[in-house]
Amino acid sequence: MKESLTTSPAETLLAWYDVHHRNLPWRVGPADRKRGIRPDPYRVWLSEVMLQQTTVAAVTSYFEAFTAKWSRVEALAAAPAEDVMAAWAGLGYYSRARNLHACAKMVAERGGFPETAAELQTLPGIGPYTAAAIAAIVYDEPATVMDGNVERVMARRFAETAPLPGVKEELRAHAARLTPPSRPGDYAQAVMDLGATICTPRRPACAICPWRPGCQGFEEGIAATLPRKAPKKAKPVRHGTVYVARTGSSVLTVRRPDRGLLGGMLALPTTDWTEGETAHRPPFHADWREIGEVRHTFTHFHLRLAVMAAMLPQERAGTMPAEQAESAMPTVFAKALRLTKNVSQ
């Protein structure tokens, strides 16, 4: 089946998007845009940073909580860093939260967001994808927006059978050729919506896809197998010990160093995490008992932490209500805290 000679792929997709776009709390829909309502760069930026390595379903409640608490970039810039990190807890990839706060401060100082992808990339935490997305969606720059959804759509449309990540530049070139000078922001969101709702990783709904005509992957019967990926290397396993010291309904907490994994986050005392065996090194003398183990997976490694618990006779500096601590900590520490919930003196 051939595409119409009078309608471009971009026009076909935009006509589909006008009817079938997702309603998202950070998005200005096509009908509102036609009425002159412009996307808020703060909300678009915040959503794009949150959506890195995360799903729309997981992000929505965090986005709504953030914007309810800090409705403007200036408010976020003025917030204490620990409040921002606590609000981020559970989203993962905590360097994003540190960069988010640093970026908000820079934007507030300069009086607003830059308006080009090149300038946006000078801000903390804004890489090529995020810069292109903001520039296209907010400022109508015909930037090439490439996320996992777009890569998948391009691999299938052009039947690119070479594996990722090696084929990324070819996919980017395809995406750049298709990006229209008119409505580039809506087009960028349309391709992402197509990948999220129709051209899905498993069982793509090719029968109702607006781009089925002209899709080489569909015509060759290989769409569902694309994109292909190079075999993943096995993740190493690191080990360590985490210490949960309770007194009544409170727990002893620490603040992790600003740099490094989970930097600046509220945490529990822990040893270093290494691939070899680790010795217990309690932060202070107490009647420590091993309660069990928690496991967690980060981007580059699996983590196994032995959980040691102790009851303290009285509160000491650094203790806080356990329920408050659990909600503010990264998931790995919240797991350890929950494991010791019923430990008594």
Side-chain angles (χ1 to χ4, degrees):
M1 184 183 292
K2 302 294 184 183
E3 286 188 327
S4 168
L5 296 177
T6 59
T7 304
S8 71
E11 290 170 326
T12 299
L13 189 61
L14 283 166
W16 171 84
Y17 177 76
D18 286 345
V19 177
H20 299 288
H21 62 276
R22 290 179 293 177
N23 293 313
L24 302 174
W26 47 83
R27 177 179 286 177
V28 174
D32 286 335
R33 290 189 71 131
K34 288 175 182 177
R35 290 200 296 268
I37 300 173
R38 303 297 302 168
D40 180 346
Y42 169 61
R43 293 173 71 86
V44 173
W45 162 71
L46 180 61
S47 69
E48 291 296 342
V49 174
M50 287 185 166
L51 284 165
Q52 294 168 19
Q53 306 293 328
T54 318
T55 65
V56 167
V59 161
T60 299
S61 62
Y62 281 90
F63 176 85
E64 291 174 339
F66 257 76
T67 50
K69 194 168 187 177
W70 303 298
S71 61
R72 299 168 63 246
V73 69
E74 292 82 3
L76 181 59
E82 56 268 26
D83 289 358
V84 178
M85 299 301 284
W88 191 274
L91 265 179
Y93 300 91
Y94 292 95
S95 62
R96 291 183 297 162
R98 296 195 298 275
N99 285 330
L100 186 85
H101 198 217
C103 183
K105 289 182 176 181
M106 288 185 66
V107 170
E109 287 173 3
R110 73 184 300 278
F113 284 88
E115 297 186 7
T116 68
E119 291 178 294
L120 284 161
Q121 284 193 66
T122 66
L123 297 175
I126 297 186
Y129 162 74
T130 304
I134 297 169
I137 295 168
V138 179
Y139 302 115
D140 286 326
E141 179 181 333
T144 304
V145 180
M146 291 294 294
D147 70 350
N149 284 318
V150 180
E151 287 180 347
R152 184 168 59 257
V153 170
M154 294 302 146
R156 290 172 174 174
R157 181 171 178 84
F158 294 97
E160 290 285 1
T161 57
L164 288 167
V167 76
K168 278 181 178 284
E169 286 309 308
E170 287 86 345
L171 300 180
R172 177 177 294 278
H174 291 313
R177 284 194 296 272
L178 290 178
T179 300
S182 175
R183 298 181 65 190
D186 282 348
Y187 172 79
Q189 293 174 109
V191 182
M192 290 188 278
D193 278 12
L194 186 71
T197 63
I198 301 292
C199 197
T200 51
R202 295 181 180 85
R203 298 180 181 176
C206 297
I208 58 172
C209 179
W211 267 4
R212 188 179 72 173
C215 177
Q216 296 177 38
F218 173 77
E219 291 173 359
E220 295 176 24
I222 60 172
T225 72
L226 302 175
R228 294 173 184 166
K229 297 180 181 179
K232 288 185 179 180
K233 294 181 180 179
K235 291 183 181 180
V237 179
R238 297 183 187 176
H239 300 267
T241 304
V242 62
Y243 298 92
V244 185
R246 289 179 175 268
T247 172
S249 60
S250 296
V251 65
L252 181 69
T253 63
V254 295
R255 183 72 59 178
R256 290 180 66 83
D258 286 337
R259 294 188 177 275
L261 188 64
L262 307 181
M265 295 297 295
L266 189 72
L268 299 170
T270 178
T271 62
D272 291 337
W273 303 341
T274 64
E275 291 183 33
E277 292 298 319
T278 58
H280 292 318
R281 296 187 182 87
F284 50 84
H285 178 73
D287 182 19
W288 294 103
R289 291 180 288 159
E290 186 165 353
I291 302 301
E293 179 184 78
V294 293
R295 299 185 178 191
H296 193 74
T297 296
F298 292 94
T299 306
H300 301 299
F301 66 93
H302 300 293
L303 177 64
R304 296 181 181 178
L305 291 179
V307 181
M308 305 290 289
M311 293 297 295
L312 304 180
Q314 59 187 17
E315 289 195 8
R316 55 192 296 164
T319 57
M320 65 186 300
E323 186 174 329
Q324 178 184 342
E326 182 179 331
S327 66
M329 286 179 173
T331 303
V332 63
F333 296 113
K335 287 179 181 178
L337 197 52
R338 287 194 292 271
L339 190 65
T340 66
K341 206 165 193 176
N342 295 321
V343 174
S344 58
Q345 194 166 11

